[in-house]
């Protein structure tokens, strides 16, 4: 019988998280009470936002407490159910955190729907990252025919869908990625119109050259020096949905000078829209998202890439690596068969 | 017979404009061609945005050329007309610039409508500044019953209407102004719920105390240290219409540290909306604005204050003073009776 284990937050990181900020421990699973469901976790999603939950800065969500289970979304199999809506064998999406097994209330679960695509897509292109891309584009970015859309981390689960949705809207998709492999994948694998390597010394001028008509939508998920390169290119009435700032999560992303005045000046002079969001704001549209994107994923029209690692104990090191771009595709931990 | 004079941009300012950046000169008025109208200017509006036009930085509008007439809106009387829509004696709104007389095409003129309020209101509460306040609130700020709206330069033509529109929407209006006279006017004269003096050493804590439930709409027209005080108070889903950055126009407004990361982090964590705009974006709604605000101004329900100075030659010094808060109310130059 497999050990029942979980990974907890041992201490809060300063800057880049380290292995010592996490602790793996065995624990005893409680019996399910009335309305609860006992789960066996199959797949865990690792996402950049989790870095924010490790800190106790004011945020839209409470931080993970010290010694608390690291938060996260999983795909699980129902083992026992004391909730009328679920039966053993059902496959569900749950917020169990980084754990092999869990007992949760059935009301917090949703059945997995992938329109025939593999189960793991429910954590990536058809899950939270996909919904982030879709709602940011649908409700904030609103790309129009002929416009230019720029997105960073373009080989990642959010960026790759942002670019493909831009193409579907008739816009020009320009991706930013790190290194030749990811850049090749963005251009040839995903079909972006252009790709720029943010590690290049000429990154800012490369990006300008890739956007001869300026930028109408910049889907912001990284911050840092990418923002500096994008800002001068933003056209009048450009829209900037902000769903993440990976470059800032570890305390980096600051410059020697105050960049706020130049940013606000651009906002004013070019009537820019900057809007932060998390996909839960648009959760009532999740069904629309699945109906629109799901069949295209299942048919192969929309491409995606997953980076699946094996075993819960791998989660901390792969999570740490992801924050500096070590993964290639949506990072998922396989916990059980 | 009065001299025909105009004020031109003699040189571009670095930082605070000085008298030497302007030059007053006599000129000869051309004869009106077919379709043109000869105007006698009565009132000239002086507004902070003009500082931007004196610089040649990239903007939504072209800069005033060296030796070009300073841009600006005026209320004029038609003296001669070769345009079918206008006759001598008509009172019109025009963009003649800082001049006593002008010949312009009739298609660029609009008849003044003030619903019975004084003519000068067409340059203030019922003109461009009023329209800026109204469209920023209607299309971006969207205050709801019970929310808190904060606006700086609250005794000015934009801020004073922002607060009164907030009250009409059932929101709490908190004004920021400089000095006891302006603060007293904002609270007692305009009926804001609270006012905070930005010159106070305790400005940030005073503002926090005046906004016990945080801030839902911050109507940004100043920037600088006011932004620093407002940012921590912004609630989730707060909206920030940006119509001006007076504190930055003279090159000030920078801090010793990079404030962009903390700003973008707040945008992300609290799902903030920041949107720059100029009122011409919503010019097709100008009639709705007049219909909604005009009768309330004429009846006295909506209050306004004007600071009218006499003589075109006064324009440069009063404009310079306005940029540091020297005026009290909408600054208007009376050019002729």
């Amino acid at each position: 019988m497999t050990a029942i284990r979980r990974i907890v937050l041992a201490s809060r990181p300063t800057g880049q998280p380290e292995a010592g900020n996490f602790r793996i421990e065995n624990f005893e699973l409680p019996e399910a009470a009335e309305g609860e469901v006992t789960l066996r976790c199959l797949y865990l999603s690792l996402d950049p936002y989790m870095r924010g939950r490790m800190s106790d800065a004011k945020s839209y969500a409470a931080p993970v407490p010290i010694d608390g289970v690291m938060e996260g979304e999983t795909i699980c199999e129902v083992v026992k159910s004391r909730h009328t809506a679920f039966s053993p064998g059902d496959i569900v999406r749950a917020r169990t955190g980084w754990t092999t097994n869990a007992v949760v209330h059935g009301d917090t679960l949703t059945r997995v729907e992938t329109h025939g695509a593999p189960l793991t897509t429910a954590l990536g292109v058809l899950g939270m990252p996909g919904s982030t891309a879709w709602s940011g584009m649908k409700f904030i970015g609103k790309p129009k025919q002929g416009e230019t859309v720029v997105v960073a981390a373009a080989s990642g689960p959010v960026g790759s869908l942002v670019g493909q949705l831009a193409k579907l809207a008739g816009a020009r998709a320009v991706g930013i990625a790190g290194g030749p492999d990811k850049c090749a994948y963005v251009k040839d694998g995903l079909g972006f119109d252009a790709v720029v390597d943010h590690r290049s010394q000429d990154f800012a001028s490369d990006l300008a050259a890739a956007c001869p008509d300026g930028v109408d939508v910049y889907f912001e998920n990284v911050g840092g020096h990418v923002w500096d390169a994008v800002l001068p290119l933003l056209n009048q009435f450009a829209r900037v949905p902000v769903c993440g700032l990976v470059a800032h999560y570890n305390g980096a992303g600051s410059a020697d000078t105050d960049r706020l005045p130049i940013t606000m000046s651009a906002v004013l002079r070019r009537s820019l829209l900057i809007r932060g969001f998390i996909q839960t704001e648009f959760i009532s549209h999740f069904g629309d998202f699945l109906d629109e994107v799901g069949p295209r994923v299942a048919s192969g029209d929309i491409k995606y890439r997953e980076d699946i690692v094996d075993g819960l104990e791998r989660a901390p090191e792969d999570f740490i690596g992801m924050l500096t771009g070590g993964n290639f595709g949506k990072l998922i931990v396989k916990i059980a068969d």
Side-chain angles (χ1 to χ4, degrees), chain A:
Chain A
M1 184 181 158
T2 319
I4 293 178
R5 287 179 302 171
R6 63 190 175 193
I7 292 174
V8 300
L9 181 65
S11 58
R12 300 202 184 282
T14 53
Q16 173 78 355
E18 297 169 358
N21 297 128
F22 304 91
R23 188 177 67 242
I24 190 160
E25 60 184 26
N26 295 322
F27 73 105
E28 201 155 318
L29 203 63
E31 278 299 313
E34 184 60 34
E36 290 187 331
V37 172
T38 304
L39 300 173
R40 191 170 73 93
C41 303
L42 306 178
Y43 295 102
L44 164 68
S45 177
L46 293 180
D47 301 279
Y49 77 85
M50 294 168 171
R51 173 64 185 84
R53 305 293 165 84
M54 298 176 77
S55 298
D56 51 9
K58 188 179 173 183
S59 180
Y60 50 81
V64 174
I66 296 294
D67 297 329
V69 180
M70 281 294 296
E71 272 184 39
E73 195 173 55
T74 50
I75 301 296
C76 302
E77 182 187 357
V78 173
V79 177
K80 284 184 217 168
S81 176
R82 297 190 64 189
H83 189 283
T84 53
F86 299 98
S87 310
D90 284 352
I91 302 296
V92 294
R93 183 196 309 269
R95 290 203 64 85
T96 61
W98 300 19
T99 182
T100 59
N101 302 73
V103 173
V104 302
H105 199 284
D107 291 353
T108 66
L109 303 174
T110 53
R111 235 169 261 278
V112 168
E113 169 58 77
T114 63
H115 288 265
L119 257 194
T120 48
T121 60
L123 294 177
V125 65
L126 295 182
M128 191 270 287
S131 164
T132 299
W134 182 84
S135 30
M137 290 292 267
K138 179 147 192 109
F139 299 108
I140 303 169
K142 299 178 184 170
K144 293 194 270 284
Q145 179 97 26
E147 289 192 329
T148 297
V149 175
V150 170
V151 64
S155 70
V158 176
S160 60
L161 186 55
V162 165
Q164 294 179 85
L165 291 173
K167 295 294 292 176
L168 285 171
R172 180 176 160 77
V174 177
I176 299 167
D181 290 351
K182 289 181 179 177
C183 285
Y185 170 68
V186 168
K187 185 105 177 8
D188 305 328
L190 297 173
F192 280 49
D193 295 285
V195 66
V196 179
D197 192 333
H198 68 79
R199 295 179 189 166
S200 158
Q201 284 217 308
D202 304 317
F203 168 61
S205 56
D206 291 350
L207 184 65
C211 303
D213 300 322
V215 176
D216 301 290
V217 178
Y218 171 54
F219 198 102
E220 170 67 293
N221 54 10
V222 296
H225 77 294
V226 175
W227 174 254
D228 298 336
V230 167
L231 185 64
L233 305 178
L234 292 173
N235 289 331
Q236 198 183 21
F237 299 123
R239 290 82 66 195
V240 182
V242 181
C243 79
L245 294 165
V246 175
H248 299 195
Y249 289 169
N250 289 326
S254 288
D256 294 338
T257 55
D258 185 6
R259 293 176 298 165
L260 184 62
I262 196 176
T263 298
M264 292 302 281
S265 175
V267 165
L268 175 61
R269 287 169 185 270
R270 286 179 257 146
S271 298
L272 306 181
L273 168 73
I274 298 177
R275 171 66 147 80
F277 75 105
I278 50 173
Q279 52 97 30
T280 49
E281 179 181 347
F282 307 105
I283 202 69
S284 64
H285 298 276
F286 196 84
D288 301 335
F289 153 66
L290 276 186
D291 289 347
E292 190 176 320
V293 178
R296 288 191 166 94
V297 169
S299 72
D301 285 351
I302 287 182
K303 311 278 194 289
Y304 66 96
R305 180 171 179 132
E306 293 172 345
D307 189 345
I308 301 180
V309 299
D310 212 1
L312 181 67
E313 66 284 358
R314 286 278 305 268
E317 69 181 283
D318 285 295
F319 172 70
I320 291 167
M322 175 185 65
L323 293 176
T324 52
N327 60 309
F328 188 171
K330 173 69 190 100
L331 186 56
I332 293 172
V333 179
K334 182 176 177 183
I335 299 174
D337 284 317

